[in-house]
């Protein structure tokens, strides 16, 4: 997690910030996405990604580390059984922050932070799909080249 900023943290003290981010992370993993202020979303992202990385490990020590930040055992179970295994092949970038404009009451900048649904990034999926197509085309070319050679060899033998 990045070094915390000095001075007031999200409008209160460090203990309150720790509890606030723990609650936000709990809600994020429970619902999949939450709407909050941009400042809170930016502070939540590193914590959520670190917790998902612990969930990818899946061992008892990692579960205990997560339990220090999230108190709800049901959410921790969901994190370790559903969210963590989804990102086994991915090295970071498990969340997305989308800015949605100012809040109506106090004009605070709002954002939606969500856990991505896809485990593998789009680029890797596209590359692997392209590789499959290339291999398929290459095998067809090899088969097409071999087939006429056999036919001509049989014609010469028949003559």
């Amino acid at each position: 997690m990045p070094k915390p900023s000095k001075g007031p943290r999200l409008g209160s003290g460090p203990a309150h910030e720790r509890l606030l981010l723990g609650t936000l992370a709990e809600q994020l993993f429970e619902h999949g996405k939450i709407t909050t202020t941009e400042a809170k979303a930016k502070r939540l992202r590193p914590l959520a990604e670190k917790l998902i990385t612990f969930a990818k490990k899946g061992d008892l020590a990692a579960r205990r580390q997560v339990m220090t930040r999230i108190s709800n055992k049901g959410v921790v179970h969901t994190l370790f059984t559903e969210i963590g295994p989804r990102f086994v092949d991915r090295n970071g970038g498990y969340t997305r922050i989308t800015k949605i404009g100012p809040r109506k009451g106090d004009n605070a900048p709002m954002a939606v932070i969500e856990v991505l649904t896809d485990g593998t990034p789009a680029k890797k999926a596209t590359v692997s799909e392209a590789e499959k197509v290339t291999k398929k085309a290459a095998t067809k070319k090899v088969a097409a080249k071999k087939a006429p050679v056999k036919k001509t060899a049989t014609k010469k033998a028949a003559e």
Side-chain angles (χ1 to χ4, degrees):
M1 192 159 120
K3 183 178 176 183
S5 62
K6 294 184 178 182
R9 300 185 178 118
L10 296 177
S12 189
H16 185 258
E17 181 190 25
R18 202 169 23 253
L19 290 170
L20 178 77
L21 291 177
T23 304
L24 285 172
E26 183 178 320
Q27 295 299 315
L28 176 65
F29 297 138
E30 186 176 355
H31 299 291
K33 67 178 181 177
I34 56 172
T35 303
T36 184
T37 61
E38 283 182 26
K40 288 179 186 175
K42 287 179 181 179
R43 295 298 286 266
L44 175 61
R45 176 183 246 172
L47 174 66
E49 301 224 352
K50 185 176 180 182
L51 295 176
I52 292 173
T53 303
F54 278 126
K56 282 172 48 175
K57 292 179 186 175
D59 59 348
L60 180 62
R63 188 176 291 263
R64 287 179 176 166
Q65 287 285 330
V66 171
M67 287 294 290
T68 62
R69 300 306 299 254
I70 298 176
S71 59
N72 188 341
K73 290 182 181 179
V75 173
V76 173
H77 178 74
T78 304
L79 179 64
F80 274 79
T81 57
E82 296 173 14
I83 298 172
R86 195 184 328 164
F87 296 109
V88 170
D89 298 330
R90 190 174 181 133
N91 297 325
Y94 314 119
T95 59
R96 173 187 302 136
I97 296 176
T98 308
K99 297 178 182 179
I100 58 172
R103 185 163 46 196
K104 189 173 183 182
D106 60 354
N107 207 26
M110 299 296 287
V112 173
I113 182 167
E114 60 186 332
V115 178
L116 298 178
T117 55
D118 299 340
T120 57
K123 185 176 180 181
K124 282 188 179 180
T126 306
V127 168
S128 63
E129 185 178 327
E131 287 175 354
K132 287 178 186 177
V133 171
T134 306
K135 286 180 183 177
K136 190 181 252 186
T139 56
K140 284 183 180 179
K141 285 183 181 179
V142 170
K145 286 182 180 179
K146 287 183 180 178
V149 172
K150 289 180 182 178
K151 289 179 183 177
T152 56
T154 54
K155 287 182 182 178
K156 288 180 182 177
E159 292 175 359

